[in-house]
Amino acid sequence: MELLYWKQENLTSRRYTVSDANGLVGELAFRGWTSNDADFSSARINLYFQRQGWLEHDLTIHFRDEVIGMSKSSGFGKTTTTLVTGEQFTFQGKTLNSSRDLRDEAGHTLMRFEQGNFSIANGQISIFRDIPELTRLLLVASGLYFKHLGH
């Protein structure tokens, strides 16, 4: 199992850093106070998350100006992300629990996003399976994005 750590800059910030034991892995930053569009940047990948409208929960994920995935959220706190490769992932939490799980199509938990015990501004991401690096970064970024929005 691999552990990553996420941290919100401060309680009002819309900027998050993700690190491991060796240092910074990447950063997720929302574009302004009213925007749900965000950028994730790391040494290996730069992603852009674009929300489709105010009321809709659809999201497109861009890499180098190309759409590489789409996410759709239900009213029950479940978000399904489908990549252009055909892979599908589900991000879901449990009632009265701050942790969120990211699962593959077979229902296996790939990652768990958790808040710190005494703070809502930091936490950890447990990675339970071996995932190719770029897919792992994409899933970490999208999971943190949805955690921020409360999906």
Side-chain angles (χ1 to χ4, degrees):
M1 180 176 77
E2 180 182 356
L3 280 178
L4 298 177
Y5 304 94
W6 63 267
K7 183 175 182 176
Q8 187 177 7
E9 207 169 69
N10 60 56
L11 289 177
T12 60
S13 175
R14 293 171 50 97
R15 182 177 300 272
Y16 296 81
T17 56
V18 178
S19 58
D20 63 12
N22 299 317
L24 185 67
V25 171
E27 180 179 274
L28 178 73
F30 285 82
R31 294 182 172 187
W33 286 101
T34 59
S35 176
N36 283 325
D37 293 351
D39 297 288
F40 178 82
S41 57
S42 75
R44 295 273 297 143
I45 193 170
N46 292 310
L47 301 169
Y48 169 53
F49 296 92
Q50 184 178 26
R51 184 87 175 258
Q52 304 300 309
W54 281 97
L55 298 175
E56 296 140 3
H57 296 289
D58 294 350
L59 177 78
T60 55
I61 305 167
H62 303 262
F63 173 69
R64 294 186 182 154
D65 297 324
E66 291 184 36
V67 174
I68 60 167
M70 296 282 302
S71 295
K72 190 167 194 66
S73 296
S74 72
F76 301 105
K78 178 179 172 182
T79 301
T80 302
T81 299
T82 305
L83 303 182
V84 293
T85 60
E87 294 172 284
Q88 195 170 67
F89 303 94
T90 303
F91 188 71
Q92 188 170 16
K94 295 177 183 159
T95 307
L96 302 175
N97 187 334
S98 64
S99 69
R100 303 281 184 265
D101 288 345
L102 193 138
R103 294 187 169 101
D104 63 14
E105 289 178 83
H108 299 115
T109 300
L110 301 175
M111 297 180 185
R112 177 164 293 137
F113 293 75
E114 298 175 285
Q115 286 181 187
N117 289 333
F118 301 106
S119 173
I120 60 170
N122 65 52
Q124 69 182 27
I125 304 165
S126 304
I127 302 172
F128 301 111
R129 297 188 179 264
D130 190 29
I131 304 166
E133 182 184 13
L134 295 179
T135 303
R136 180 174 54 86
L137 288 169
L138 167 68
L139 295 175
V140 164
S142 60
L144 196 55
Y145 177 93
F146 291 121
K147 182 168 184 7
H148 172 81
L149 293 183
H151 291 296

